[in-house]
Amino acid sequence: MADKRKKKDGLARYRAKRDFAVTAEPAGGSGDDSPGGRFVVQRHRATRLHYDLRLEMGGVLASWAVPKGPTLDPKARQLAVHVEDHPVEYYDFEGVIPGGEYGGGDVIVWDRGTWEPAKTGDPVRAVERGELHFDLRGEKLAGRFVLVRRAHDGDDDWLLIHKDDEYARRGWNPEDHPVSVKSGRTNEEVAAAPEALWRGDLPAAEASVAVAAHGHWSAASPEELAALAELGDGGTWTVGGHRLRLSKLGKVLFPRAKGRKEVTKRDLIAYHSTIAPYMLPYLAGRPVNVHRFPDGVERPGFWQKAVPAHAPEWLTTWRDTEAEADRTGRYAVVDKVASLAWMANHGAVELHPWISGLRDVHEPDWALIDIDPGEKTRFADILLLARLYGEALRHLGVEGMPKVTGQRGVQIWVPVRAGYTFEETREWVHKVSRAVGRTVPELVSWEWYKDRRDGLARLDYTQNVRNKTLVAPFSARPAPGAPVSVPITWKELDDPDLRPDRWTVHTVLDRVREAGDPLHELIGRPQELPPL
Ligand code: MN
């Protein structure tokens, strides 16, 4: 009895902390005296597809992995592998478990509702004994089920059976009902644009990390920006609900250039905090490599990958389990306004997000084309090459968008569906680039070494590799006047005023307010690359 009471108290504490408005059905029969609770079935594409049946009991989610999924078919006897209890916080998790972590893959809330034990008042004991009868009230599943351990005590293999009651449906197949009851999305759709990641390395209460690649971030408010303007050379500033210690705000990071104002650290912080709604969709949910110039861009900068020890605890980070022990382990993941501001305060002039996200860092979600000018390359040549790529992509029926780098070149970003390897995207970009290069051999060199290229442009496909990066849209570049990398439309390639460094941190906000971001609609597009 004492045991049971303790378990019920644990659940009560949990209930007090949770918002039960999210539950699909009201508490229903599972009042205070009922030993039942909530149930969920998650469809989980890990190494193998399976469904996870989870029954809330004793303050945790008792869990079974059902390879073929639960069914209403009373004739089916589905294998159900009893797996470890999950924290209750996992109840309505839908999103992606990063590759490399246990259970890496995508998860949807396939069904949820309430459950009640039958034939027993103590389901925890029933599970220990190896046989649990229970009723489900979900959106897809309903009626009486039995979970029964197959053979011996301690064996993890159980069977899941639906009784032949009024809810039974012969031939009912869970795969015919593939859509999440939480979001209406399929596993494929969630994988292409997850809204949350499950970080098994964090405590359960914090493990669900918002990604919101399609989310909406607010820029710093006018009041927050006014407070930043009024700070002296340093002090505490609050943005997006997070407090930052800022220092040396008057420091000139970018000297003035012809017709362009100088840019102080305060200016860069204000810029990052204002451009955030446009920039964060390219940064959230992926590690970032940072090019820092704490003494300004006229002094040498350095690349920083590891998150410094003094980073605030609200900064999202990701540990690269494949990094060698002495190499960079923990990367920053920039997913909020405050993180962008914090980066600027550390002189992080350039932000280079990974091409692959935490969902699976081995799978790129962009195929990147980099038109890299040589000394003899004129901007007109770059534009010609970009147009040739544009024609090639149109011909192939593939969507992509050009982006000026803020320095001399142009890149083309092509979204791809989940599941490609870097080898595949690299090879695809290589082939398209060869075809483009063949039409203008006088402009292009295929030499790896810069000094052997005779000053010609290079069509660089080699960035399509894990942990290689290109500069983020709307990131500043380390040059006088603080030019910015900006996505443009194909049509704008014909604009006589176009320059690769046309926009700066002082002018690009007007540009996006007028023209928006043409690349934004391609984020997360699950695009197939046609074979070449
Ligand atoms: Mn699972």
Side-chain angles (χ1 to χ4, degrees), residues 28-91:
S30 61
D32 276 346
D33 295 334
S34 163
R38 300 177 302 169
F39 89 90
V40 65
V41 176
Q42 282 150 320
R43 187 174 184 274
H44 183 184
R45 294 196 305 171
T47 314
R48 288 214 177 91
L49 168 69
H50 60 272
Y51 291 70
D52 290 298
L53 167 64
R54 309 188 194 281
L55 305 174
E56 184 177 30
M57 65 173 83
V60 296
L61 298 171
S63 298
W64 288 262
V66 187
K68 289 186 175 167
T71 175
L72 300 173
D73 187 344
K75 286 195 155 169
R77 297 162 69 81
Q78 309 287 58
L79 172 67
V81 181
H82 192 198
V83 296
E84 77 284 359
D85 295 338
H86 271 55
V88 287
E89 285 85 350
Y90 202 75
Y91 173 73

Side-chain angles (χ1 to χ4, degrees), residues 232-251:
D233 199 47
T236 303
W237 184 49
T238 302
V239 65
H242 296 289
R243 283 161 67 82
L244 289 87
R245 281 213 53 85
L246 306 180
S247 62
K248 297 186 189 162
L249 290 171
K251 180 164 202 71

Side-chain angles (χ1 to χ4, degrees), residues 373-445:
E375 304 91 75
K376 290 185 194 158
T377 310
R378 300 165 308 152
F379 188 51
D381 302 333
I382 296 288
L383 293 176
L384 173 61
L385 288 162
R387 284 189 204 103
L388 289 169
Y389 273 111
E391 270 169 42
L393 295 183
R394 264 189 300 282
H395 176 72
L396 292 165
V398 168
E399 299 230 45
M401 210 62 89
K403 154 177 169 294
V404 292
T405 62
Q407 290 183 322
R408 295 183 58 217
V410 167
Q411 302 161 359
I412 295 156
W413 286 39
V414 176
V416 300
R417 63 157 168 81
Y420 283 111
T421 64
F422 277 109
E423 207 173 10
E424 288 167 331
T425 55
R426 189 168 64 248
E427 200 41 43
W428 192 86
V429 171
H430 186 187
K431 282 181 175 161
V432 176
S433 301
R434 285 280 175 182
V436 164
R438 268 198 297 276
T439 65
V440 281
E442 68 281 9
L443 295 183
V444 174
S445 165

